[in-house]
Structures are given as structure tokens and as C-alpha cells.
Amino acid sequence: GENVEQHPSTLSVQEGDSAVIKCTYSDSASNYFPWYKQELGKGSQLIIDIRSNVGEKKDQRIAVTLNKTAKHFSLHITETQPEDSAVYFCAASKTGGSYIPTFGRGTSLIVHP
Amino acid sequence: NAGVTQTPKFQVLKTGQSMTLQCAQDMNHNSMYWYRQDPGMGLRLIYYSASEGTTDKGEVPDGYNVSRLKKQNFLLGLESAAPSQTSVYFCAVSTGAAYEQYFGPGTRLTVT
């Protein structure tokens, strides 16, 4: 089955700095890679996703890059703000059939004002 | 629209007690999931349901049972709670086609 590794487990940055979280996956058939943000005491919320036919996707201060050859994808947050502080999860899955994503272990991002 | 709701928000059980966690959705999505989240372990799938009346085991199903009698409800049961089941439980739903999952706010369960 799929295995997703996520690093780092904790990331501390100053407000305004950039933050990068990296994930690797094992199943070359995986073709959908979402990123979720979990704020304290809340459920996770999708913030951006990428499919395997695209190398990069941006949405304002957030971007995701995908390297299919190396089987890794990354979340980039620029100009971080204190409200970006949360736990971020990456996931990998195959489209078609039942949708069962495999999640990484999460990264706790702390943005210091 | 409430989206995905979970009850209760908090629960404390003694070892051996039973309980049911409830998940309800008003999004009319076919797929529903139960996850547990433990520190440093991410989200691990307990059970999922691709449609009303069907359920399948996930990565960590032992000690749990589920029921999907209605499309909008997915119930997670603990027949005989154990301290190892202390965790935060999240319900999620998805269309199955669009792949985005919508998560509930979670239930924090402590088993003493």
C-alpha cells in the first residue's frame, strides 16, 4: 500500500518568512495530492491540491510543487502570518474507485509575530 | 448548512464501557470516513463507507464497529473501550468523485 512521509514534524518561523513542508510517497500510481490545514480544536480543511498532470499550483501565498519522478511534493507558504499557525497534513491517493487517501503524520507550523 | 457534525465533542469512558460516536452530514455526499488522530501519528483510517449500507475496514479497525443505515449518518461504536482507544476521532465526507474531504470538528475521547 501507499506510504507517505512528511517532514519536518515541527516548523517554527518568524512572521514574514517562508515555510516549506515536504512529503514523499511510495506508490507511483498515486495521482492526487491534497494538503489540509488543521487549526487547534477544529477539523482539517483542504487548502490546496495538485494532480499528477501538473508540476506546480499557486493560490495567493500558498503553492504546491510535485516531482513525479522523485515521488515528492511540497507545500510552500510565503509571507507567513500568525494565523498560518496550525498543523498541516499532506496526503496521496489514486483517482478512480473508492477514494482512500493516505495521510502524512503532520507538521506543526508555528509563526512567531 | 452545518456541513459535518459530530457528537459528542468530549467523552470520558472507563475501561470496558461501550459508546457510539455519531457523525451527521447535510452535504448529500456518498462517502464517509472515520479517522483517529494521535500525537505524531497523523490521521489513520478506522472504517469508511462508500455508500449507504456499505462499510469497509481501514488501517486500524480492531476494537471498533460501524453502521451506515442512512446516507447522512455514520456511526462508530466501541464495544469495550480500552485505554489504547484514547484519541481524537474525526469524521469526514467526500463525494468520492471530487476527492476533497470535509472534516467534522472531532470528538476527544479519553478511556481511563
Side-chain angles (χ1 to χ4, degrees), chain A residues 10-69:
Chain A
T10 305
L11 180 58
S12 183
V13 301
Q14 289 296 128
E15 182 177 0
D17 287 350
S18 294
V20 180
I21 303 170
K22 299 181 180 181
C23 289
T24 61
Y25 61 99
S26 62
D27 188 346
S28 57
S30 289
N31 57 2
Y32 175 66
F33 307 93
W35 284 90
Y36 286 86
K37 176 182 181 182
Q38 185 183 72
E39 296 178 359
L40 194 62
K42 297 183 179 180
S44 300
Q45 189 169 16
L46 180 74
I47 55 171
I48 196 166
D49 57 12
I50 192 167
R51 298 178 191 268
S52 59
N53 58 347
V54 175
E56 182 176 3
K57 184 176 179 180
K58 292 184 75 172
D59 183 2
Q60 300 182 338
R61 296 186 297 109
I62 293 173
V64 57
T65 58
L66 171 66
N67 183 325
K68 286 189 296 182
T69 303

Side-chain angles (χ1 to χ4, degrees), chain A residues 32 36 38 41-44 46 51 89 95-96 98-101 103-105, chain B residues 33 35 37 40-43 45 48 90 94 96 98-101 103-105:
Chain A
Y32 175 66
Y36 286 86
Q38 185 183 72
K42 297 183 179 180
S44 300
L46 180 74
R51 298 178 191 268
F89 291 100
T95 57
S98 295
Y99 174 55
I100 310 293
F103 286 87
R105 295 191 173 195
Chain B
Y33 312 76
Y35 292 93
Q37 183 178 358
M41 297 298 292
L43 292 161
L45 183 65
Y48 71 97
F90 289 98
S94 85
Y99 309 118
E100 176 177 358
Q101 287 179 304
F103 285 82

Side-chain angles (χ1 to χ4, degrees), chain B residues 12-30:
Chain B
V12 179
L13 291 179
K14 294 188 189 304
T15 297
Q17 288 185 318
S18 63
M19 78 161 296
T20 300
L21 280 64
Q22 302 189 31
C23 176
Q25 56 135 338
D26 62 4
M27 307 177 78
N28 201 34
H29 286 346
N30 285 323

Side-chain angles (χ1 to χ4, degrees), chain B residues 31-75:
Chain B
S31 298
M32 298 187 75
Y33 312 76
W34 275 109
Y35 292 93
R36 61 177 289 172
Q37 183 178 358
D38 303 292
M41 297 298 292
L43 292 161
R44 292 186 292 169
L45 183 65
I46 305 170
Y47 272 93
Y48 71 97
S49 169
S51 61
E52 175 184 341
T54 68
T55 61
D56 285 286
K57 293 179 180 180
E59 180 186 353
V60 289
D62 293 344
Y64 305 94
N65 57 75
V66 289
S67 171
R68 180 97 184 268
L69 298 179
K70 295 181 180 180
K71 185 176 183 178
Q72 63 267 35
N73 299 117
F74 195 26
L75 308 180

